[in-house]
């Protein structure tokens, strides 16, 4: 049986998810911009959005960033249907505080909130704050204790926890979740430690866009790992270039690659500041792509029919949520909603 299939868009918390030099898409991370983008996405039929987390911009300290937790709370109040997923790096916020914030946004949004557990890769963000940057697997060990506490507290349970990092006595948060057992837990990361923790503690494993066979292997790997509760579900990030024909889409992709030549110095600096142990960057080094988090590596580039068929192929192996990037964002978010979503729904109905 095919999985459910939902489309989301990355909120423009970082101002852009592709070139920072596109003439028709200058980076803009303002609240005004992001709130307008997500309200329009909701009206167009997108069912989810992801707010990434950085405290300082990986493309440079001088670049604007939207704070994603306060942003998610505000979006909860000005939207009505769209799921809001907010990323969190455990080292930045104590789990009792974060669980309280998550329950508050769950309440404002009336049951539309999710957290995306991310493990940190941009060293200056943590090192220069004085928080420190533990080794890759130590960050995941910290995250394992952290998410256990957040899961229990957001489920309304009374928590006693004695771990290596946290000592919590008789803690309980009220009000609990009035809409479902607790907000959804996503986890995004590619390493062995990330996959093990996702299987153990996440509801949805979030993947960076990759070629079809690599995504199938990742899904099989995570799905077979031991876990409690219902089977894990899968989401994937992807940058889309959809046009009237395959040739037009390839021309547009070439144009986007040409524009992104100007981003090379910024990109080199960013990679130089990334944790060399982060699997995500090792995968990204395999091929050039447009967009972040795998970008065009998932090959959602082609005619409207081609892109719709590739989406259904990913869905058939278990990808339920497609979290999309575009450039320029507004025109292409509309184009995808007008031309690709209806094709996907039509093909699904025909197959049913
Ligand atoms: C869908 C998705 C979203 C992510 N969002 C963020 C984010 O908001 N902030 C961040 O610092 N890292 C983010 N990451 C990066 C990962 O959490 C992780 O730090 C990175 O993959 C390195 O860990 P790994 O070695 O397990 O791959 C994201 C990853 C994925 C797959």
């Amino acid at each position: 049986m095919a999985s459910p299939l939902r489309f989301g868009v990355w909120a423009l918390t970082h101002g852009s998810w592709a070139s920072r030099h596109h003439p028709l898409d200058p980076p803009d991370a303002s609240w005004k911009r992001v709130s307008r983008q997500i309200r329009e996405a909701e009206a167009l039929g997108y069912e989810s959005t992801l707010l990434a987390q950085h405290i300082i911009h990986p493309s440079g300290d001088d670049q604007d960033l939207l704070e994603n937790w306060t942003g998610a709370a505000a979006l909860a109040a000005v939207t009505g249907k769209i799921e809001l997923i907010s990323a969190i790096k455990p080292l930045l916020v104590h789990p009792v505080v974060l669980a309280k914030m998550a329950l508050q946004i769950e309440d404002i949004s009336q049951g539309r909130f999710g957290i995306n557990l991310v493990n940190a890769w941009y060293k200056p963000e943590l090192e220069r704050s004085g928080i420190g940057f533990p080794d890759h697997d130590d960050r995941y060990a910290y995250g394992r204790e952290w998410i256990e506490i957040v899961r229990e507290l957001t489920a309304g349970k009374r928590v006693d926890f004695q771990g290596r990092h946290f000592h919590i006595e008789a803690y309980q948060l009220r009000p609990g979740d009035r809409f479902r057992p607790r907000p959804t837990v996503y986890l995004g990361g590619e390493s062995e430690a990330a996959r093990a923790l996702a299987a153990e503690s996440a509801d949805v494993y979030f993947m960076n866009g990759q070629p079809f066979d690599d995504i199938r292997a990742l899904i099989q790997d995570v799905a077979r790992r031991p876990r409690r509760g219902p089977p894990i579900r899968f989401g994937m990030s992807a940058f889309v270039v959809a046009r009237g024909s395959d040739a037009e889409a390839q021309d547009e992709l070439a144009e986007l690659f040409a524009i992104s030549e100007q981003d090379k110095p910024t990109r080199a600096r960013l990679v130089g500041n990334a944790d060399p142990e982060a699997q995500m960057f090792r995968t990204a080094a395999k091929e050039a792509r447009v967009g972040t988090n795998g970008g065009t590596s998932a090959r959602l580039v082609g005619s409207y029919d081609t892109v719709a068929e590739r989406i259904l192929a990913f869905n058939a192996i278990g990808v339920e949520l497609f979290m999309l990037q575009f450039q320029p964002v507004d025109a292409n978010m509309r184009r995808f909603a007008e031309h690709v979503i209806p094709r996907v729904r039509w093909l699904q109905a025909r197959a049913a």
Side-chain angles (χ1 to χ4, degrees):
M1 196 185 73
S3 328
L5 198 167
R6 298 186 295 140
F7 294 109
V9 286
W10 284 71
L12 290 165
T13 50
H14 288 49
S16 167
W17 292 110
S19 175
R20 306 188 72 75
H21 295 94
H22 197 295
L24 302 175
D25 202 34
D28 179 356
S30 63
W31 162 247
K32 195 173 165 192
R33 170 94 171 94
V34 172
S35 64
R36 201 202 50 64
Q37 179 209 3
I38 301 308
R39 281 177 291 148
E40 180 173 10
E42 180 175 80
L44 288 169
Y46 292 92
E47 295 172 273
S48 185
T49 184
L50 175 61
L51 292 94
Q53 181 179 53
H54 281 108
I55 306 301
I56 51 174
H57 205 302
S59 296
D61 292 355
D62 57 343
Q63 299 295 303
D64 291 353
L65 260 182
L66 185 92
E67 198 290 307
N68 64 310
W69 280 75
T70 46
L75 281 175
V78 300
T79 55
K81 289 188 296 205
I82 196 166
E83 178 190 32
L84 306 163
I85 308 169
S86 196
I88 180 70
K89 277 169 268 210
L91 286 162
L92 291 176
V93 189
H94 191 280
V96 303
V97 181
L98 196 285
K100 184 69 181 160
M101 289 161 61
L103 281 174
Q104 189 62 62
I105 304 177
E106 175 79 346
D107 194 54
I108 300 169
S109 66
Q110 304 194 9
R112 291 184 285 128
F113 190 58
I115 73 172
N116 186 28
L117 182 63
V118 293
N119 170 50
W121 53 267
Y122 184 56
K123 291 185 289 175
E125 178 182 44
L126 290 164
E127 285 176 347
R128 280 164 37 199
S129 68
I131 294 170
F133 195 76
D135 285 349
H136 183 273
D137 286 4
D138 288 342
R139 295 198 303 280
Y140 275 108
Y142 185 93
R144 170 171 279 108
E145 290 191 10
W146 187 98
I147 190 64
E148 178 73 24
I149 296 162
V150 169
R151 277 175 59 117
E152 298 284 295
L153 284 174
T154 53
K157 295 188 186 152
R158 185 182 162 94
V159 172
D160 281 288
F161 187 93
Q162 297 304 325
R164 201 177 121 214
H165 302 284
F166 300 106
H167 303 279
I168 292 166
E169 284 175 30
Y171 231 82
Q172 190 170 35
L173 302 177
R174 288 291 178 268
D177 194 327
R178 295 190 290 119
F179 304 93
R180 51 188 176 160
R182 58 166 173 73
T184 310
V185 175
Y186 292 77
L187 185 145
E190 296 180 7
S191 56
E192 166 62 32
R195 287 177 270 144
L197 185 56
E200 212 174 276
S201 303
D203 303 307
V204 185
Y205 177 52
F206 233 145
M207 298 171 286
N208 290 316
Q210 292 184 45
F212 184 81
D213 289 344
D214 297 351
I215 290 290
R216 182 166 47 199
L218 260 185
I219 289 177
Q220 285 170 350
D221 176 88
V222 173
R224 68 165 172 76
R225 289 171 185 256
R227 96 185 235 104
R228 325 162 257 188
I232 193 160
R233 293 176 282 135
F234 296 92
M236 183 180 78
S237 172
F239 188 103
V240 175
V241 184
R243 289 292 184 276
S245 69
D246 288 336
E248 274 178 73
Q250 291 303 332
D251 287 351
E252 178 62 18
L253 179 64
E255 175 71 19
L256 290 172
F257 268 118
I259 293 171
S260 67
E261 282 292 306
Q262 297 169 74
D263 298 282
K264 278 198 166 154
T266 309
R267 173 86 194 152
R269 188 190 151 277
L270 180 150
V271 172
N273 278 311
D275 178 6
E277 296 300 316
Q279 180 60 40
M280 178 169 88
F281 285 90
R282 294 178 180 170
T283 309
K286 286 186 195 165
E287 65 177 15
R289 79 270 186 287
V290 170
T292 69
N293 293 85
T296 45
S297 291
R299 315 282 194 269
L300 297 190
V301 177
S303 71
Y304 303 131
D305 288 327
T306 300
V307 172
E309 281 157 18
R310 290 190 183 155
I311 285 168
L312 282 171
F314 278 115
N315 182 241
I317 58 168
V319 179
E320 166 189 326
L321 175 62
F322 294 79
M323 192 58 68
L324 304 177
Q325 301 179 348
F326 308 96
Q327 187 164 49
V329 174
D330 295 332
N332 289 297
M333 191 171 88
R334 290 174 200 138
R335 186 196 302 270
F336 185 88
E338 185 184 344
H339 295 286
V340 182
I341 296 180
R343 281 173 162 82
V344 170
R345 298 303 180 204
W346 185 82
L347 289 168
Q348 277 185 304
R350 200 181 60 169

